Amino acid sequence: MSRGFGLQQGAEAVLYTAPFLFQCEPTFQASTPSDADAAHAQPIIIKRRFPRAYRHRTLDKKLTRGRLASEARNLLKARKLGVKVPAVLRVDVDALCIYLERIPGDTLKEKLARQTKNDKEQVETTLKALGAACATLHQGNIVHGDLTPSNVMVTTTQESAPSVALIDFGLAQTSTLAEDKAVDLYVLERAINSTANDGDEAEPFGHVLAGYESRASKGLWNAVRTKLDEVRARGRKRTMVG
Amino acid sequence: MSDLSPRQHQEDNSPSLVLGIEGSANKVGVGIVSCKGAVRANPRRTYVTPPGTGFLPRETAQHHRAVILELVSEALAEASLDSHACDDKGKRRVAAVAYTKGPGMGGPLVACAVVARTLSLLWRVPLVDVNHCVAHIEMGRLITKARDPAVLYVSGGNTQVIAYNNGRYQIFGETIDIAIGNALDRVARALHLPNDPAPGLHVENCARSGKRLLDLPYAVKGMDVSFSGLLTKAESLSTRAKRTYDRNAPLPPPEACLASDASASDDDEYTDADVCLTLQETCFAMLVETAERAMSHTGADSLLLVGGVGCNKRLQAMAEAMCAERGAFCHATDERFCIDNGAMVAWAGWNQYNAWRVGASDTSDEAAMKAFPVSNGFCTQRFRTDDVYAGAWRNLEEEGDEPTAKKAKS
Ligand SMILES: Nc1ncnc2c1ncn2[C@@H]1O[C@H](COP(=O)(O)OP(=O)(O)O)[C@@H](O)[C@H]1O
Ligand SMILES: [Mg+2]
């Protein structure tokens, strides 16, 4: 990745990286910052939402603006709760851009895809930390809305255990309902268990739950665990008849 | 669709047709399909109720019972077979009878299963039980030649985002309450749109005259969607909507309703067309968004639309736009195969039967009857798409080049 900017295209946003000190706008200038500058530069992420052509314009505007606002709002709330999330540096409502602190490391999706037998312990710790982060979020009545492994950043260092940060809060909401929290976990469960390779442990999601239980209050844990069973069974119970 | 020529040469003399019966909801159909996937016959009838009403299980079953024998005769005649399933040389051409085991409405399912069991006994051929959803997917794959697509399965009774994984059609996301087709039908009812030929078609046509987007909740929950809250709101909006729909009026071009930026609050005056427009735009955006997520999760390079709502042109356009943006391909079929039909059950039945033949050491008629006994011919209203081991036949495809290249030993 070049130092000036990098590019990541998601479903409804383009992401640029930029060195914080120089240029906050996503320009495509070829000039690279000098090394001295780079040493002070704290790289940031600029996430720019773009219109989706398949949606009706009016609906698209409503959704895009709504998601930008809820991303900013819920990142702040999550941070206050003590969940590791990128800091919000700036929100540009007209350009539909949010400027974020850049979390070093890889997404959990990449980590899981690349894991080998030797990483088993580290993956376990990571999943537990992820569970704990979710519990903190839920304890504060925020649901993430899109808890998939590509929305979890994992930072590993030599010295300490891997740390987990949550990103992509566009679908996040305030909710006190155990149901909504259970759905959060259910999404994560399906995504994580389906990325497991052959020969891996059958249910890596178990570690997430263990981490969740260790952090959540008794009340939250009991309510969410019961609801999670309900949500899992929901599909199976539904008579598929109009 | 081009090579589905109704007549295709038999290349060997073993019976190579399957007759399939579908009737899990308000359509009943009998299809005859060859082992190569050529559709020889596919007649269908729909139970249509007066505007403002929906179809109930009992009446629907009565309807199916009244027309099904006629449909069987029609299908046989169209495929140039007699009532013994023999051709003009007196040779039995039908290798198996397939029927929909579920999911669906109990009464209508049973009405069809009875006939399937009877034919199986009469002709002494295996009785293959088929999952309705799997049949939709396999028919869609056959028609469009999509090898390994993500699937958006949208109908009156089902709403699922599916991807093939580990031998199963795994459900990535689905509705947590009512099905999309059901939501559309119920709004059609609230607006008193006609049910003939299908309420959803009138919602689609009515929406073309829409001018403004109203406010409906957008409910994507993780990978799942929810339509019940949105439906309640749409039904209540319907009561105050000005009725403008005329089924005989010429349709405005499809872009017309998308051109305007106007939105309206609930207090303004609005029409049935605005309600239909809003309903479609909101529901379909939810579906396309979840389909896209499944595609990015599985890395699928194509999307297959199946089920009755899959022939909605607006949904197709939206899915195509989404796919185009990510460099993927969108496959859709028309109402002959999107909407419930007998051929899809026959084709899924053939795949199941053929997978058995390829794997079995003894493929004699007796062994076949034992493997697919009439006594197994019951129905179930709950039958999950991922309950079926589709690897049985999909694994055969992976070895050969064509979907049915692998021949049985017999
Ligand atoms: N703050 C961040 N630090 C580091 N990487 C990030 C950050 N935000 C996003 N990314 C990277 O960009 C990808 C897409 O960002 P995300 O916010 O999830 O957008 P989308 O809505 O398109 O999924 C993430 O999966 C991650 O790889
Ligand atoms: Mg993301």
Side-chain angles (χ1 to χ4, degrees):
Chain A
M1 198 191 287
S2 92
R3 225 191 275 129
F5 62 89
L7 205 108
Q8 252 255 13
Q9 163 109 48
E12 54 178 37
V14 193
L15 290 102
Y16 310 87
T17 68
F20 195 27
L21 281 183
F22 310 103
Q23 192 101 51
C24 287
E25 311 299 340
T27 57
F28 293 84
Q29 286 168 4
S31 71
T32 27
S34 73
D35 286 348
D37 289 339
H40 296 287
Q42 179 198 4
I44 68 161
I45 293 265
I46 303 170
K47 175 171 176 179
R48 183 169 63 80
R49 291 188 152 78
F50 53 83
R52 295 306 312 267
Y54 71 82
R55 293 197 284 240
H56 189 288
R57 256 187 299 164
T58 312
L59 177 64
D60 187 72
K61 262 192 207 137
K62 185 177 112 178
L63 290 177
T64 322
R65 273 163 209 278
R67 286 173 185 184
L68 175 67
S70 65
E71 175 142 50
R73 193 176 333 113
N74 289 297
L75 279 172
L76 293 176
K77 280 195 196 164
R79 198 176 181 78
K80 276 194 201 140
L81 290 171
V83 182
K84 199 178 158 204
V85 295
V88 180
L89 305 171
R90 184 181 167 203
V91 180
D92 183 340
V93 182
D94 298 315
L96 295 172
C97 283
I98 183 166
Y99 295 58
L100 301 169
E101 167 200 359
R102 178 179 173 156
I103 313 271
D106 301 316
T107 64
L108 179 60
K109 184 174 183 173
E110 292 157 347
K111 275 264 182 308
L112 289 176
R114 255 187 284 134
Q115 69 173 311
T116 61
K117 292 241 156 52
N118 301 336
D119 303 334
K120 199 168 171 254
E121 219 161 287
Q122 212 185 49
V123 168
E124 219 178 285
T125 344
T126 307
L127 293 177
K128 283 203 177 117
L130 171 57
C134 297
T136 312
L137 198 66
H138 287 175
Q139 202 76 60
N141 292 325
I142 300 179
V143 293
H144 183 280
D146 191 16
L147 264 184
T148 55
S150 47
N151 292 334
V152 176
M153 298 294 301
V154 183
T155 317
T156 35
T157 52
Q158 292 285 300
E159 308 86 53
S160 56
S163 86
V164 162
L166 302 180
I167 58 168
D168 202 357
F169 277 67
L171 297 177
Q173 274 180 303
T174 306
S175 169
T176 53
L177 300 179
E179 153 100 18
D180 290 338
K181 297 170 186 173
V183 167
D184 244 6
L185 293 180
Y186 183 53
V187 170
L188 187 59
E189 173 171 36
R190 280 194 292 187
I192 285 194
N193 286 346
S194 73
T195 43
N197 301 315
D198 295 336
D200 290 353
E201 199 172 348
E203 303 276 296
F205 185 67
H207 302 304
V208 177
L209 278 188
Y212 192 93
E213 184 180 5
S214 72
R215 180 72 61 83
S217 71
K218 262 232 151 58
L220 175 67
W221 168 245
N222 286 334
V224 168
R225 193 187 44 184
T226 320
K227 273 289 171 195
L228 182 59
D229 287 335
E230 263 177 62
V231 172
R232 283 170 177 153
R234 195 158 51 192
R236 304 213 150 259
K237 277 211 211 105
R238 224 177 62 79
T239 18
M240 302 203 222
V241 182
Chain B
M1 244 166 272
S2 51
D3 56 341
L4 275 185
S5 56
R7 302 272 176 277
Q8 201 175 332
H9 272 299
Q10 301 296 294
E11 45 150 63
D12 62 34
N13 281 332
S14 65
S16 55
L17 302 176
V18 172
L19 179 141
I21 302 182
E22 155 62 33
S24 58
N26 71 332
K27 283 100 186 161
V28 54
V30 177
I32 298 178
V33 169
S34 83
C35 63
K36 301 270 180 213
V39 177
R40 301 299 170 84
N42 200 16
R44 167 175 68 204
R45 303 267 193 287
T46 305
Y47 173 53
V48 176
T49 57
T53 63
F55 55 93
L56 299 169
R58 216 172 82 92
E59 285 74 23
T60 310
Q62 266 163 8
H63 166 265
H64 290 6
R65 273 195 294 274
V67 300
I68 191 164
L69 295 181
E70 207 174 284
L71 280 169
V72 171
S73 309
E74 220 174 291
L76 288 171
E78 218 177 294
S80 311
L81 300 173
D82 64 15
S83 59
H84 304 286
C86 296
D87 60 16
D88 52 3
K89 298 194 187 66
K91 209 168 155 31
R92 161 97 17 102
R93 311 295 320 186
V94 169
V97 170
Y99 75 101
T100 307
K101 175 171 232 127
M105 290 177 150
L109 281 172
V110 169
C112 297
V114 168
V115 176
R117 287 201 299 267
T118 310
L119 292 178
S120 157
L121 285 171
L122 203 63
W123 298 338
R124 288 183 218 285
V125 293
L127 180 68
V128 188
D129 54 336
V130 167
N131 177 298
H132 179 84
C133 315
V134 171
H136 267 299
I137 299 171
E138 291 306 341
M139 196 66 193
R141 290 180 62 233
L142 170 70
I143 302 287
T144 64
K145 306 239 179 315
R147 267 189 80 82
D148 192 17
V151 181
L152 180 57
Y153 170 29
V154 279
S155 69
N158 295 280
T159 306
Q160 300 177 339
V161 180
I162 298 162
Y164 181 73
N165 183 22
N166 256 327
R168 311 246 163 206
Y169 286 113
Q170 194 191 334
I171 301 172
F172 261 83
E174 63 189 316
T175 175
I176 58 172
D177 36 59
I178 58 172
I180 172 68
N182 192 230
L184 297 174
D185 290 358
R186 278 160 67 173
V187 173
R189 228 177 284 159
L191 291 170
H192 278 262
L193 302 182
N195 281 339
D196 172 30
L201 179 68
H202 294 290
V203 172
E204 181 177 353
N205 289 345
C206 185
R208 295 266 286 265
S209 313
K211 299 242 163 8
R212 296 177 302 181
L213 213 65
L214 310 173
D215 201 33
L216 282 182
Y218 184 93
V220 171
K221 299 192 171 192
M223 285 288 205
D224 295 328
V225 291
S226 156
F227 295 116
S228 68
L230 168 165
L231 173 65
T232 310
K233 178 89 191 284
E235 280 176 330
S236 88
L237 283 173
S238 299
T239 54
R240 291 206 299 111
K242 207 168 135 214
R243 305 276 163 84
T244 60
Y245 184 60
D246 171 7
R247 66 180 298 172
N248 299 316
L251 287 177
E255 329 74 63
C257 61
L258 306 175
S260 127
D261 249 340
S263 59
S265 75
D266 307 354
D267 316 322
D268 299 341
E269 193 166 278
Y270 54 85
T271 64
D272 48 3
D274 296 335
V275 175
C276 289
L277 174 68
T278 310
L279 179 70
Q280 285 201 148
E281 292 303 319
T282 310
C283 294
F284 294 171
M286 287 161 55
L287 293 172
V288 171
E289 178 164 17
T290 36
E292 179 167 39
R293 283 211 223 162
M295 291 174 80
S296 73
H297 190 83
T298 59
D301 61 0
S302 65
L303 178 70
L304 172 65
L305 285 181
V306 297
V309 182
C311 53
N312 184 300
K313 291 283 185 304
R314 178 59 186 146
L315 176 59
Q316 289 181 2
M318 287 171 75
E320 265 158 30
M322 178 273 281
C323 286
E325 275 185 39
R326 49 184 299 121
F329 198 81
C330 181
H331 300 279
T333 58
D334 63 30
E335 72 285 343
R336 286 173 302 169
F337 303 110
C338 242
I339 296 177
D340 295 351
N341 62 89
M344 70 184 205
V345 175
W347 177 239
W350 165 260
N351 279 296
Q352 279 167 239
Y353 173 62
N354 187 52
W356 170 81
R357 286 206 311 171
V358 171
S361 49
D362 176 4
T363 57
S364 64
D365 290 354
E366 297 77 58
M369 292 298 284
K370 254 206 201 110
F372 300 94
V374 173
S375 59
N376 193 30
F378 61 91
C379 298
T380 167
Q381 285 179 265
R382 289 176 189 151
F383 188 3
R384 295 272 296 180
T385 313
D386 50 11
D387 285 342
V388 177
Y389 181 64
W393 60 89
R394 293 236 355 190
N395 289 344
L396 304 181
E397 288 171 21
E398 250 108 80
E399 291 167 24
D401 290 330
E402 278 185 30
T404 53
K406 184 106 178 189
K407 285 266 306 281
K409 290 169 204 147
S410 69

